[in-house]
Amino acid sequence: MLSDSALAARLATDAGALLLRVRAELGFADPAALRDAGDARSQVLLAQALARHRPRDAVLSEEAVDDPARLAARRVWIIDPLDGTREFSEQGRSDWAVHVALWQDGELTAGAVALPAQGVTLATGVPPPARPAPTGGPRLVASRTRAPALVATVAEALGGTVVPLGSAGAKVAAVIRGEADAYIHAGGQYEWDSAAPVAVARSVGLHTSRIDGSALVYNRPDPFQPDLLVCRSDLAGPILALIARG
């Protein structure tokens, strides 16, 4: 039987391959229809695969009705079948993702982030990608469309730059791969937006927390998450101090 990490990686990769086929099949003439088809078809693939491979586990998904039974479960898969629907529906964009994570007994224990249009899947349980040595000021990834003002404030204070990017998974992946140094989000997300990226980020030694420094908690009754920080460990202290000063 596949380990949880291997299963997460396989499912994220398989769903990503399906999404590439959906893109090729439907094209980009009707972005709304493409987004809807991607969400729905990836959800079916992941739900059926989890039911087959881990039938006793609960699931929390952006694209499924929330079953409160998960709150009493010891193992809950937290999935986002298509993270970054806007980017998925724009021709030529590769900054969208598939998230598959496992929460077990209070902790994230496995996870995978597939970047299908980049041919990459990052997962727990595998050697981390080689990170280039930091040069110059830190690069902070932020939303293309709703970057919080504090990102610019922090970047200026640290002598860094702000790099706009698409989905949450793509942003955290950029930090994991050393293409960026920090991701600060303060506009509100849900557990499925960050669970898999955070699981992988933690596995390679990155700092992950709320922007007040408190722990990220998953499988709560309300899956809304107000904010998120993922960064190089040496930047966590300076960034949290700047945010605290407002």
Side-chain angles (χ1 to χ4, degrees):
M1 184 173 73
L2 287 174
S3 70
D4 292 327
S5 290
L7 179 62
R10 174 181 289 185
L11 297 190
T13 301
D14 288 351
L18 171 66
L19 287 165
L20 290 175
R21 294 195 296 272
V22 172
R23 257 184 158 191
E25 174 188 330
L26 298 184
F28 300 90
D30 187 341
L34 179 57
R35 291 192 294 267
D36 289 347
D39 277 333
R41 289 169 64 174
S42 184
Q43 168 64 28
V44 169
L45 182 152
L46 292 174
Q48 290 180 345
L50 286 171
R52 181 169 65 255
H53 291 283
R54 298 292 191 272
R56 297 183 179 180
D57 293 353
V59 179
L60 170 63
S61 172
E62 180 179 17
E63 300 303 326
V65 175
D66 189 4
D67 183 353
R70 68 178 171 83
L71 299 174
R74 292 189 58 194
R75 290 168 51 93
V76 181
W77 292 87
I78 303 175
I79 64 173
D80 190 343
L82 174 52
D83 180 58
T85 52
R86 180 195 299 270
E87 289 74 24
F88 174 73
S89 67
E90 294 179 13
Q91 189 169 10
R93 294 209 70 96
S94 63
D95 48 347
W96 50 277
V98 178
H99 299 174
V100 178
L102 176 64
W103 173 96
Q104 182 172 352
D105 295 330
E107 298 291 340
L108 295 173
T109 57
V113 177
L115 304 168
Q118 300 178 40
V120 170
T121 298
L122 304 170
T124 56
V126 298
R131 288 176 54 86
T135 57
R139 299 151 296 175
L140 281 66
V141 283
S143 171
R144 296 171 58 207
T145 56
R146 52 191 180 99
L150 70 86
V151 176
T153 301
V154 171
E156 182 178 4
L158 295 177
T161 56
V162 178
V163 180
L165 204 60
S167 78
K171 294 188 198 69
V172 178
V175 181
I176 293 168
R177 299 168 78 185
E179 299 165 351
D181 302 293
Y183 170 39
I184 305 170
H185 183 80
Q189 292 179 329
Y190 289 88
E191 291 185 13
W192 45 75
D193 293 309
S194 71
V198 163
V200 180
R202 288 177 179 172
S203 76
V204 299
L206 294 171
H207 170 90
T208 66
S209 72
R210 298 276 308 277
I211 63 172
D212 64 0
S214 62
L216 295 160
V217 181
Y218 292 88
N219 196 38
R220 297 163 305 144
D222 180 357
F224 179 75
Q225 280 188 336
D227 48 59
L228 173 69
L229 169 63
V230 178
C231 66
R232 288 180 3 220
S233 58
D234 61 301
L235 289 175
I239 289 174
L240 290 169
L242 286 166
I243 293 172
R245 288 205 294 266

